[in-house]
Amino acid sequence: MSAQTNAPRHNPKVVTALRRFAISISVLNVFGYTVLGFEQPWTWPLIALATAYSLEIVLEIIGARAEGRTARFRGNGPRGVMEFLYPAHITGLAVNMLSYVNDIVWVMMFGVIVAVGTKWVLRAPVKGRMRHFMNPSNFGIAVILVLFPWASIAPPYQFTEYLDGGFDWLVPAIIISLGTMLNAKLTERMWLILAWLGGFALQAIVRGLLYGTSIPAALAMMTGVAFVLFTNYMITDPGTTPSSKWGQIAFGGGVATLYGVVTALGIAYGLFFATALACAIRGTFLWTADIVARKRTEEALALAAVTRSVAAPAPAEAPACACPDGACSCPAPAAAEAETLKTPVVA
């Protein structure tokens, strides 16, 4: 089978957003290990990147051969390879930065493998194309937390551990400023952010009224660096969230609602589990909508075929001859006359 022409993997705006996401998380890791106080060994980001890059390329080669197309990292030189690896770059650094697995590096690598691999396994039809619906980084961390109960998320204090004198507010302020510009201009997920923030505040108040939870303490979580990072760089993933206004509102509000339910049930790390549940619900909805649309299309085609067969005119029959036997002769049908008509030839 000949290779098909590559379609662009992302539109230019999304490529720009991914590039800025990749730059932002890279800069944050550099400052994290040199200034802020990241807890993981400094070699782990490099191991995470090597794992993510390798798996992403291998899976793309396998997928390209199975689909009869050219691998997406080919055809545009080093720039094409770099743009292809942006998602893997973000995923690898995010899983390492936001999870804490003591000194067992292979668990972190396992989380990266799950995160990258889920893009090829958990897919749903979106506008005629198969797209992954599970947030990769979030899902990789959630799987680590489920399979390894002794693991945890990275301690929030690591983002401001060595900052004092008011500078500890500088980090979240920078993240909010850069993240807001990025999401407003490129990912266009501001409706999702607003719905998420409003829903989170509402669930905190509801939990306080129903279960006696400290409302100020629940709301204070919104001021932490981890929450700010999650809001601006995790939940707004353009590849796994709706693009329409009401779809974004439903998704953001849904994550907040699920977080309230999960937290009320006494389950820790609710942010990651709530996001995974919301993505799973969205994936189920996409598959259901596609199956219903296919069924309706098949029914419409079948109905159209039946309608055409009923409405088609019956073949015309030759008129009956009313002449008595031997009294006259009826004209032959036009078809028969055409078949028996002879052209006289002059001798």
Side-chain angles (χ1 to χ4, degrees), residues 14-32:
V14 174
V15 172
T16 302
L18 289 173
R19 180 171 62 250
R20 294 187 181 179
F21 266 119
I23 293 173
S24 298
I25 198 170
S26 300
V27 171
L28 180 59
N29 269 266
V30 171
F31 276 94

Side-chain angles (χ1 to χ4, degrees), residues 86-177:
Y86 282 154
H89 184 92
I90 297 168
T91 299
L93 290 182
V95 171
N96 174 68
M97 180 179 69
L98 297 176
S99 62
Y100 187 74
V101 293
N102 298 326
D103 59 348
I104 306 178
V105 67
W106 69 264
V107 175
M108 181 274 291
M109 296 173 64
F110 171 78
V112 173
I113 291 171
V114 170
V116 175
T118 190
K119 295 190 295 183
W120 292 87
V121 177
L122 298 179
R123 291 182 164 193
V126 180
K127 298 180 180 179
R129 296 178 59 187
M130 295 300 292
R131 301 285 300 274
H132 67 282
F133 59 83
M134 188 64 71
N135 186 304
S137 305
N138 183 87
F139 188 68
I141 296 170
V143 170
I144 288 177
L145 296 174
V146 170
L147 296 183
F148 307 96
W150 47 264
S152 66
I153 62 170
Y157 64 77
Q158 76 171 11
F159 296 99
T160 56
E161 184 175 7
Y162 298 135
L163 298 179
D164 52 18
F167 287 101
D168 52 341
W169 285 93
L170 185 61
V171 175
I174 292 175
I175 295 173
I176 291 174
S177 301

Side-chain angles (χ1 to χ4, degrees), residues 66-91:
E67 298 170 5
R69 58 174 174 80
T70 304
R72 293 188 179 96
F73 56 82
R74 298 183 183 275
N76 198 19
R79 178 179 177 180
V81 176
M82 185 181 300
E83 291 180 354
F84 170 79
L85 290 176
Y86 282 154
H89 184 92
I90 297 168
T91 299

Side-chain angles (χ1 to χ4, degrees), residues 172-186:
I174 292 175
I175 295 173
I176 291 174
S177 301
L178 296 178
T180 301
M181 289 190 294
L182 181 65
N183 288 299
K185 294 183 178 181
L186 297 175

Side-chain angles (χ1 to χ4, degrees), residues 4-336:
Q4 299 174 356
T5 304
N6 260 0
R9 191 183 190 198
H10 301 294
N11 64 47
K13 184 177 287 189
V14 174
V15 172
T16 302
L18 289 173
R19 180 171 62 250
R20 294 187 181 179
F21 266 119
I23 293 173
S24 298
I25 198 170
S26 300
V27 171
L28 180 59
N29 269 266
V30 171
F31 276 94
Y33 283 98
T34 57
V35 177
L36 302 180
F38 279 15
E39 296 287 339
Q40 302 89 343
W42 67 268
T43 55
W44 283 26
L46 304 178
I47 296 173
L49 289 177
T51 304
Y53 290 170
S54 302
L55 184 61
E56 185 84 15
I57 291 173
V58 169
L59 291 178
E60 173 61 21
I61 292 173
I62 295 173
R65 289 182 178 178
E67 298 170 5
R69 58 174 174 80
T70 304
R72 293 188 179 96
F73 56 82
R74 298 183 183 275
N76 198 19
R79 178 179 177 180
V81 176
M82 185 181 300
E83 291 180 354
F84 170 79
L85 290 176
Y86 282 154
H89 184 92
I90 297 168
T91 299
L93 290 182
V95 171
N96 174 68
M97 180 179 69
L98 297 176
S99 62
Y100 187 74
V101 293
N102 298 326
D103 59 348
I104 306 178
V105 67
W106 69 264
V107 175
M108 181 274 291
M109 296 173 64
F110 171 78
V112 173
I113 291 171
V114 170
V116 175
T118 190
K119 295 190 295 183
W120 292 87
V121 177
L122 298 179
R123 291 182 164 193
V126 180
K127 298 180 180 179
R129 296 178 59 187
M130 295 300 292
R131 301 285 300 274
H132 67 282
F133 59 83
M134 188 64 71
N135 186 304
S137 305
N138 183 87
F139 188 68
I141 296 170
V143 170
I144 288 177
L145 296 174
V146 170
L147 296 183
F148 307 96
W150 47 264
S152 66
I153 62 170
Y157 64 77
Q158 76 171 11
F159 296 99
T160 56
E161 184 175 7
Y162 298 135
L163 298 179
D164 52 18
F167 287 101
D168 52 341
W169 285 93
L170 185 61
V171 175
I174 292 175
I175 295 173
I176 291 174
S177 301
L178 296 178
T180 301
M181 289 190 294
L182 181 65
N183 288 299
K185 294 183 178 181
L186 297 175
T187 67
E188 299 178 348
R189 293 299 189 272
M190 291 305 299
W191 285 110
L192 190 154
I193 292 177
L194 293 174
W196 155 247
L197 294 176
F200 189 92
L202 180 60
Q203 64 82 31
I205 296 172
V206 170
R207 285 195 295 117
L209 296 176
L210 295 181
Y211 302 104
T213 304
S214 172
I215 296 177
L219 293 175
M221 179 179 172
M222 301 175 70
T223 64
V225 178
F227 184 90
V228 172
L229 273 173
F230 183 88
T231 299
N232 286 277
Y233 292 97
M234 179 72 78
I235 197 176
T236 56
D237 176 24
T240 57
T241 55
S243 57
S244 66
K245 171 184 174 180
W246 292 108
Q248 291 183 40
I249 292 174
F251 188 88
V255 174
T257 302
L258 290 170
Y259 172 82
V261 173
V262 169
T263 304
L265 293 174
I267 301 174
Y269 315 122
L271 289 179
F272 298 96
F273 293 131
T275 304
L277 287 172
C279 290
I281 292 171
R282 178 173 177 263
T284 302
F285 171 79
L286 292 173
W287 270 113
T288 302
D290 182 73
I291 292 173
V292 171
R294 287 173 182 267
K295 185 175 181 180
R296 288 179 177 176
T297 301
E298 292 174 358
E299 291 176 351
L301 292 174
L303 180 61
V306 171
T307 304
R308 285 196 299 268
S309 64
V310 171
E317 297 182 358
C321 183
C323 296
D325 292 340
C328 62
S329 61
C330 293

